[in-house]
Amino acid sequence: ATSTLASSSGSGASSESAKQLKKGEVRPGASSVLGKKFLIGEELGFGAFSKVYKGVDLKNGDFVAIKQISLEGLSEDDKDNMVQEIDLLRNLKHKNIVKYLGSYRTKSHLY
């Protein structure tokens, strides 16, 4: 599992009605702002330890995919593996691989 802020072209939404993200939580169905850079919208899918949300890059309006990973209950080995995967994603550049934009960590989640 990795934290992915993934880019996709398209126009986005305004952050006027967005509320600042608090304590690493996303309010499903409501818009939240992550790190003052991304507007988090509707949930697109989920897995055992993560959820994926549709997002908008507030700088350029592009749509992004934001993966939220719960850090609760993860072993240190699992957390180390995530860091290694993020390092790998950061360096991959291919037309069939979603572009990695960065990560953001709160007390309870990794994005």
Side-chain angles (χ1 to χ4, degrees), residues 22-51:
K22 294 183 182 178
K23 296 186 180 180
E25 294 301 320
V26 171
R27 293 174 216 104
S31 294
S32 299
V33 176
L34 177 64
K36 298 182 181 179
K37 294 182 181 183
F38 299 96
L39 179 67
I40 300 175
E42 66 182 298
E43 182 179 304
L44 299 175
F46 63 92
F49 297 101
S50 65
K51 294 180 182 181

Side-chain angles (χ1 to χ4, degrees), residues 28-76:
S31 294
S32 299
V33 176
L34 177 64
K36 298 182 181 179
K37 294 182 181 183
F38 299 96
L39 179 67
I40 300 175
E42 66 182 298
E43 182 179 304
L44 299 175
F46 63 92
F49 297 101
S50 65
K51 294 180 182 181
V52 177
Y53 294 90
K54 182 177 182 179
V56 176
D57 184 325
L58 295 174
K59 183 177 179 181
N60 60 26
D62 285 348
F63 288 111
V64 296
I66 300 173
K67 187 171 188 179
Q68 176 193 51
I69 302 170
S70 174
L71 297 175
E72 295 177 23
L74 289 181
S75 69
E76 287 304 313

